[in-house]
Amino acid sequence: MKSNSHTENKNIPLKKIEKCLKGTRFNEIKRIEETGSTNADLVLRASEAPDDIVLVTDHQTDGKGRLGRVWESPKGLNLLCSFLLTPKWAKDKNPLVTSALALGVVDYLSTIGVSALVKWPNDIVIPERDNKKISGILAEQVEGEVERIVVGIGFNISWPTSSQEGPLDAISLKMLGATFDRWTVLAGIIENFEKQLKLLEELNGAALLRRSLIAHSATIGNQVRVETANNIIVGFAKDLTEEGFLVVNDGNQDLQVNAGDVVNLRKKI
Ligand code: BTN
């Protein structure tokens, strides 16, 4: 695994990475010291900020996770950022923005020697460490005169430092023995996210992303338990649709799930 020796420089980090925006759709990286939630901030700004931008913070006091959960992270240790996007694709591809970011993160991690997979729908996990979660993604669609999408990512860089800290299923780059500063990771993620968004824009973008998601899935091929808002499904996770739905065969029929929590019951071999 590669490592870099940068210690974080509080004064110049953004200047250092702003050049990574060249050739991407993002015009600016804004950094704020503390906020409630970078996703909530961008949702509020969506109607007035015409550009696609990146908002990064050192600390969130009300970080939002999927399904109404809280995303916790101590100040200054992990990457907490959100992207404000103007879709350049058909509306039915909007849910795939989460997948594009997830695949961008997996691709970035592979460039630093970390093998990661996507646990449906949007967790980035480390298969060699019992599928512990290194990153989570939350996307929100903002309706208005111009439709916008806000997609946020929490990425564990320096916290937790051991399995005694943080959520039980969490892991960080530091726990994997990699020392990276937040700005280097952010630059790598932006670059790889942009590549995936360009794929999404292609006519067969949904098919391309589906293929890549299946190839990098920690879920497909496993016996799973899926907890949805009003149901529990136990069965074989056999496929993903181009809309990003999980297809589970419960022994009788194929069921398509669009949201839920997955527990892997038996791993694929
Ligand atoms: C999840 O795994 O449940 C999704 C977590 C998403 C957390 C990120 S941190 C930056 C952005 N702002 C938020 O309030 N949430 C996302």
Side-chain angles (χ1 to χ4, degrees), residues 35-40 55 57 60 62-73 79-82 122-124 133 135-140 150-155:
T35 186
S37 149
T38 53
N39 263 38
L55 178 65
T57 190
Q60 295 184 132
D62 191 19
K64 297 198 280 175
R66 221 165 49 84
L67 306 174
R69 296 186 187 121
V70 175
W71 184 264
E72 279 187 89
S73 180
L79 178 65
L80 303 166
C81 85
S82 300
N122 59 2
D123 290 349
I124 315 298
K133 175 169 171 176
S135 177
I137 294 168
L138 178 69
E140 303 177 57
V150 173
V151 59
I153 177 163
F155 185 107

